[in-house]
Amino acid sequence: MVLESRPLVPLIGFLAMGSDPTPSIEMTAKRLECICQSVSMGQGQEVHARKLIDRGLREGIWVLLQNCHLGLEYMVEIMEQFAELEKEPEKVHETFRLWITTEVHPKFPITLLQMSIKYTCEPPSGVKAGLMRTYDSMSQDFLDYSDSPFYLPLIYTISFLHTVVQERRKFGPLGWNIPYEFNSADWLASCMFVQNHLDALEVGQNISWTTVRYMVSAVQYGGRVTDDYDNRLLGTFCRVWLTDQLFTENFQFYKGYGIMAFKNIPEYLEEIEKMKTVDPPQTYGLHTNADITYQRNVTQELLDTILSIQPKESSSGGGETREASVYRQAKEMLEKVPPNFDPNEVKERLRFYGILNSMVIFLRQEIDRMQKVIMLVRSTLKDLLLAIDGTIIMNEALRDSLDNIYDAKVPQIWLRRSWSSSTLGFWFTEFLERNMQFSTWCFQARPFSFWMTGFFNPQGFLTAMRQEVTRAHKGWALDMVALHNDVTKYTYEEIKAPPPEGVYVHGVFLDGAGWDRRNSRLCESTLKVLYAALPVIHVYAINSTAPKDPKLYQCPVYKKPCRTDLTFITPLWLPTIKNPDHWILRGVAILCDIK
């Protein structure tokens, strides 16, 4: 890239998660015996950047402007300055180079992009590439730092862990609930802690594994982690790998991935070169099916990108126009939109159930929210039909609705008031099913089993159930009552009566594991089956806040496949004959909706 570049052609690097091109740029400058000065952009940094560029133009040094998405106005200034200098090239030193690093930003000046050399520095893919990058950038002095027999295996284990935590990101929510920017600074901090810890050990004294695990999982890497279940995963990796077993000859992270302990860097590089280029998902603690999830996510992203750059104008060729297609779909949907709930009828029915009953209060809140969605859908579809006919003006919201309905996506105005879904078809089906559940509950009878996916606030549903159980028992206090559950052997169709206490919940799926119906416990996923439907679950409350049985796997329940704090509902406890750590590494969770 340096050979291709010219003084007035900036080199723009797009930052990818988990990689930073700065060390590579500085190393290249050192190798070519150039001075490289950097400024990190942000508020008030333009003054320093101007001075540095002026100095670079005079003296021929390399200038590195970092995080330029935080100084977009200054990017326009650079573009104009370079355009002027093109007229007087004699004012520019021939060894001057301008390096820019930025995150992808929609408002970055396009002209500057067009006049630049663009590159991106992605993190290495796979264990082999990750270890190769780590050991290639390591110095021999770093490897020779300690004579302790524990030192080299520990450094290799942290390097392997570093690669695994980065690689798990590509598997989406199965890998990490939130994709974190783990980078080489975390690896270096962990290695330096290991050096200090080994220095502090007396002769014959063993490693304090509790300390090492805590520093790696809760401080060095854990400092970036914000999700409780991701913290649990990181802690499990350290608990499984950072043990005395590490120093035995037959220790393996996974079949074929043992410990390397050599004295010289070239020996490591030679051995790493022999490793497989593509790793099975089990290397990262995941099931074989995780690879299907990864491939599907990549394909979906590609198709979404292709769809987003399609022309939005009406086609002049034959066939149905965009407007005609949307008009037909909107008309069909409008015919299926259910009528509004009659407030007086609803009030009458709720009074019959007992207006102060906690479950009835929950139902009233859900119906109020559903009413707003029904009214919004009806008004949007009516306005869209009128706008396509030319009776009213097509505003921004209607234009967005037209584009999204044509692309089989959910209009933004609906998403803001309702729930997310991958396609309009799935969303509209769920819309009708939700309405059906509320209508049946309100105007016929309380369901024997509840479809938890159909609630706006499933946490509120479980809290209402806890209140109901607490009130039924004299002397119980709500803050001393905890949720518990049993997975039954029944399907939804087999439920003919409500449970004596608590609620039955149906329509949930296991992600990352399968379900053994005969023995009612977790088992490995069936090959090529990504989600396993769970039988009806009996959720109830117990008058105890004592910790649950450690042999049970604490499985988080999420509303959608996107696992964040916003979609988290509650943990449920599932029986297993394997150690629960196995399922933590598998990333097992219960999803209410898999679309």
Side-chain angles (χ1 to χ4, degrees):
M1 261 190 341
V2 175
L3 296 173
E4 287 177 22
S5 65
R6 293 186 295 109
L8 291 177
V9 176
L11 298 105
I12 299 182
F14 297 106
L15 298 170
M17 195 177 283
S19 67
D20 181 13
T22 306
S24 311
I25 295 168
E26 288 171 347
M27 210 178 288
T28 309
K30 204 172 180 181
R31 204 164 56 238
L32 296 173
E33 296 179 356
C34 293
I35 299 168
C36 181
Q37 298 278 322
S38 62
V39 173
S40 190
M41 297 306 291
Q43 196 170 10
Q45 293 302 306
E46 290 85 354
V47 181
H48 304 293
R50 279 190 204 101
K51 285 179 184 171
L52 200 56
I53 287 178
D54 289 343
R55 185 186 155 199
L57 291 166
R58 285 195 317 274
E59 300 174 16
I61 66 170
W62 285 12
V63 176
L64 169 60
L65 302 182
Q66 297 167 308
N67 300 327
C68 290
H69 53 281
L70 303 176
L72 293 176
E73 288 178 10
Y74 183 58
M75 292 298 102
V76 178
E77 189 182 312
I78 286 177
M79 184 178 74
E80 290 166 353
Q81 184 184 0
F82 275 39
E84 287 297 316
L85 286 167
E86 284 284 3
K87 298 170 188 172
E88 305 170 276
E90 66 279 356
K91 287 187 177 179
V92 183
H93 198 289
E94 60 180 18
T95 59
F96 167 73
R97 294 289 182 277
L98 175 63
W99 297 81
I100 290 171
T101 66
T102 175
E103 285 182 9
V104 175
H105 196 287
K107 293 187 178 172
F108 198 89
I110 290 179
T111 315
L112 182 60
L113 286 173
Q114 288 169 339
M115 63 191 275
S116 310
I117 292 173
K118 294 157 287 289
Y119 67 94
T120 186
C121 181
E122 292 191 338
S125 180
V127 172
K128 178 181 174 179
L131 289 173
M132 187 64 85
R133 176 179 279 198
T134 301
Y135 277 91
D136 202 23
S137 60
M138 198 188 289
S139 68
Q140 187 62 44
D141 292 344
F142 188 88
L143 212 57
D144 298 338
Y145 179 85
S146 173
D147 294 331
S148 167
F150 306 137
Y151 180 64
L152 294 176
L154 272 173
I155 294 297
Y156 184 80
T157 303
I158 289 170
S159 303
F160 194 89
L161 175 71
H162 179 68
T163 302
V164 166
V165 296
Q166 284 194 317
E167 277 297 295
R168 274 185 77 108
R169 275 198 308 248
K170 74 180 186 185
F171 296 102
L174 263 181
W176 296 103
N177 289 349
I178 299 165
Y180 302 101
E181 292 199 36
F182 298 118
N183 58 36
S184 52
D186 305 319
W187 170 83
L188 185 60
S190 300
C191 291
M192 288 173 75
F193 166 73
V194 165
Q195 290 177 349
N196 295 336
H197 184 66
L198 293 178
D199 286 347
L201 290 182
E202 300 291 332
V203 179
Q205 190 181 352
N206 283 332
I207 291 173
S208 167
W209 287 116
T210 313
T211 312
V212 174
R213 286 179 204 137
Y214 179 79
M215 287 302 291
V216 173
S217 70
V219 179
Q220 318 294 11
Y221 284 91
R224 295 184 186 278
V225 177
T226 53
D227 185 275
D228 290 344
Y229 286 96
D230 285 343
N231 256 322
R232 180 179 75 162
L233 171 65
L234 199 50
T236 305
F237 266 123
C238 291
R239 195 166 60 248
V240 171
W241 287 350
L242 296 173
T243 65
D244 285 326
Q245 292 292 314
L246 197 64
F247 308 119
T248 57
E249 280 184 25
N250 55 1
F251 177 83
Q252 289 189 325
F253 299 107
Y254 177 65
K255 277 180 277 182
Y257 294 85
I259 290 278
M260 293 184 199
F262 302 115
K263 294 285 184 197
N264 301 309
I265 299 281
E267 290 178 75
Y268 276 104
L269 299 180
E270 193 180 320
E271 198 62 32
I272 292 167
E273 193 57 52
K274 295 176 189 172
M275 292 175 81
K276 290 178 284 191
T277 312
V278 179
D279 312 291
Q282 289 93 324
T283 316
Y284 316 116
L286 297 163
H287 188 266
T288 312
N289 286 351
D291 212 34
I292 301 172
T293 307
Y294 165 61
Q295 304 287 0
R296 202 170 69 171
N297 290 347
V298 171
T299 310
Q300 187 63 49
E301 201 175 314
L302 177 68
L303 293 173
D304 285 347
T305 307
I306 292 170
L307 203 60
S308 68
I309 58 175
Q310 291 294 309
K312 298 280 189 278
E313 281 70 39
S314 306
S315 59
S316 54
E320 196 176 37
T321 62
R322 283 167 60 84
E323 281 75 11
S325 169
V326 172
Y327 191 90
R328 178 177 49 77
Q329 289 179 59
K331 207 166 183 181
E332 284 173 12
M333 284 194 285
L334 191 57
E335 287 167 8
K336 293 177 185 172
V337 173
N340 290 356
F341 286 95
D342 183 323
N344 295 323
E345 277 185 44
V346 170
K347 206 169 186 179
E348 198 58 46
R349 284 295 298 171
L350 296 184
R351 197 173 281 128
F352 167 73
Y353 281 134
I355 204 84
L356 294 177
N357 183 312
S358 55
M359 284 296 230
V360 174
I361 292 169
F362 167 76
L363 175 61
R364 194 188 73 215
Q365 291 169 343
E366 291 286 307
I367 287 176
D368 287 348
R369 289 184 70 173
M370 193 66 202
Q371 180 87 307
K372 287 175 184 170
V373 177
I374 293 170
M375 289 162 70
L376 176 68
V377 170
R378 185 180 288 108
S379 67
T380 306
L381 292 174
K382 279 183 175 175
D383 288 352
L384 192 56
L385 292 174
L386 291 172
I388 293 171
D389 280 338
T391 312
I392 62 171
I393 294 168
M394 179 84 74
N395 60 25
E396 192 67 39
L398 291 175
R399 167 60 58 189
D400 170 76
S401 300
L402 187 141
D403 288 343
N404 278 308
I405 290 173
Y406 185 74
D407 292 338
K409 294 267 171 66
V410 187
Q412 286 299 320
I413 192 170
W414 294 359
L415 279 178
R416 281 199 290 271
R417 294 281 187 88
S418 62
W419 53 91
S420 60
S421 196
S422 56
T423 68
L424 181 60
F426 286 142
W427 186 93
F428 199 76
T429 306
E430 190 174 326
F431 168 68
L432 298 176
E433 286 173 353
R434 280 177 180 234
N435 182 71
M436 178 65 71
Q437 174 162 264
F438 295 138
S439 299
T440 309
W441 186 358
C442 184
F443 298 115
Q444 292 177 22
R446 175 168 160 165
F448 296 151
S449 177
F450 293 90
W451 180 50
M452 205 157 65
T453 315
F455 295 137
F456 289 94
N457 179 15
Q459 296 96 319
F461 168 69
L462 295 173
T463 305
M465 183 274 293
R466 277 174 57 211
Q467 286 177 317
E468 189 177 61
V469 174
T470 308
R471 288 174 185 175
H473 292 267
K474 200 172 181 184
W476 283 24
L478 187 61
D479 54 355
M480 293 303 291
V481 169
L483 277 183
H484 200 60
N485 64 279
D486 296 322
V487 183
T488 69
K489 293 190 176 184
Y490 307 122
T491 60
Y492 171 56
E493 289 73 24
E494 292 168 348
I495 298 292
K496 302 298 180 197
E501 197 170 80
V503 289
Y504 283 140
V505 171
H506 68 271
V508 294
F509 301 85
L510 263 179
D511 185 15
W515 185 255
D516 179 352
R517 281 177 178 269
R518 180 177 294 174
N519 300 307
S520 288
R521 65 185 179 212
L522 285 168
C523 64
E524 290 292 2
S525 300
T526 311
L527 279 176
K528 298 185 181 178
V529 177
L530 300 183
Y531 304 108
L534 275 170
V536 171
I537 301 174
H538 179 205
V539 185
Y540 53 93
I542 52 172
N543 190 24
S544 163
T545 53
K548 307 286 184 195
D549 182 352
K551 289 178 185 166
L552 294 173
Y553 169 61
Q554 184 185 331
C555 185
V557 182
Y558 296 94
K559 296 178 196 172
K560 299 282 172 184
C562 168
R563 305 183 193 177
T564 63
D565 288 345
L566 297 173
T567 58
F568 176 70
I569 300 173
T570 182
L572 292 180
W573 286 266
L574 303 179
T576 167
I577 49 168
K578 290 193 175 182
N579 189 321
D581 287 352
H582 175 79
W583 304 113
I584 293 173
L585 297 183
R586 284 277 192 265
V588 176
I590 292 175
L591 305 179
C592 289
D593 181 19
I594 52 174
K595 304 183 196 68

